[in-house]
Amino acid sequence: MLSTLLAAFWIMVPAYVPNPVAAVCGGGMPIDFGKTYADGRRILGDGKTYRGLVCGVCAGIAVGFLQIWLFGTFGLTFLPQQTLASIVILAFGALLGDMGKSFIKRRIGKNRGESWPIADQYDLVAGAFILMLVFDPAWIFTNVTWQILIVILILTPILHRTVNIIGYHIRVKKEPW
Ligand code: CTP
Ligand code: MG
C-alpha cells in the first residue's frame, strides 16, 4: 500500500509542480492575448499567462530531472522510472489540461477563478495522461497500474486542495480552490 502511494506520487511529481509554480510566477501577457471567443467571452481568461506556463513547465521538468538523478544515483529501482520524455509530457500536459479546462469553463459561462469542482482538481491528471497516451503510451502501460491510477485519483484532489488552501493563506492564490 505504501509502495503504491509512493509510486503514484513519484509518477505525478512533474505534473503536480507546474500549477503552484504558475500561481507564484504567473502574470503578464495572457495566453489568449486578451482576445474573446465567438460567444463574446474570453478564450481562456487572465488566469492563464505565458509566464505562468513557461515557469510552471520548466519547474516541473527541473524537478523531473532531479527525480531522474536521484533514481540513478541511489538506485531507487522500486520506484517508477521517469525519463526525459515522461517528465516533459507530464509537466506540459498538466498545464495543457489546465488550459483546456479554462477554455471549457469560459464556454459554460464560469468566470476566471470561479470554482468548478472535479474539473479544477482533475484537469492536470487528464491533460498529463492524454498527452502521455498520445506521445508515450508504453510509459503509461509500464508504470501506471490500475492500483496506482486509483491512488492518483484519490491523492490528487487532496493535494490540490491542501496546496491551494496554503496558497490562499500566504496570498499567492486569490481563491482557496
Ligand atoms: N497561472 C498563470 N498561468 C497559467 C496557469 C496559472 O499565470 N498557465 C496563475 C494565474 O495567476 C492564476 C493562478 O495561477 O490566477 C491560479 O491558477 P488557476 O486556479 O488555474 O487559474 P484561475 O485564476 O482560477 O482561472 P480559471 O478559472 O481559468 O481556472
Ligand atoms: Mg482556479
Side-chain angles (χ1 to χ4, degrees):
M1 182 61 210
L2 185 65
S3 70
T4 312
L5 183 65
L6 265 177
F9 183 72
W10 189 258
I11 283 171
M12 292 306 287
V13 163
Y16 285 153
V17 167
N19 267 293
V21 171
V24 174
C25 303
M29 181 61 81
I31 292 168
D32 65 8
F33 293 108
K35 288 191 169 48
T36 53
Y37 195 65
D39 55 12
R41 292 180 167 273
R42 286 287 294 278
I43 299 174
L44 297 176
D46 285 332
K48 308 295 123 158
T49 67
Y50 284 99
R51 210 163 69 208
L53 177 64
V54 172
C55 293
V57 172
C58 288
I61 293 171
V63 176
F65 273 124
L66 179 67
Q67 287 182 290
I68 292 173
W69 181 80
L70 288 170
F71 187 96
T73 306
F74 298 103
L76 309 179
T77 46
F78 58 96
L79 287 169
Q81 187 165 14
Q82 295 285 8
T83 64
L84 176 60
S86 75
I87 63 174
V88 172
I89 291 168
L90 288 167
F92 188 60
L95 289 190
L96 213 58
D98 181 47
M99 284 189 279
K101 185 257 338 244
S102 289
F103 178 77
I104 301 170
K105 206 168 166 181
R106 297 300 89 81
R107 304 289 74 76
I108 63 171
K110 285 189 182 290
N111 288 323
R112 175 241 173 129
E114 212 174 299
S115 160
W116 188 19
I118 301 185
D120 277 333
Q121 287 81 47
Y122 287 114
D123 55 1
L124 70 111
V125 180
F129 282 13
I130 290 170
L131 209 63
M132 193 68 86
L133 280 174
V134 173
F135 290 106
D136 197 354
W139 191 87
I140 285 224
F141 296 121
T142 309
N143 295 293
V144 186
T145 62
W146 65 266
Q147 290 98 325
I148 289 180
L149 181 64
I150 290 171
V151 173
I152 289 173
L153 294 179
I154 297 168
L155 182 67
T156 302
I158 297 172
L159 283 180
H160 188 272
R161 186 85 178 122
T162 308
V163 169
N164 283 352
I165 288 172
I166 295 169
Y168 176 73
H169 285 294
I170 61 171
R171 293 168 201 280
V172 165
K173 274 207 95 218
K174 289 201 184 75
E175 303 87 13
W177 47 75

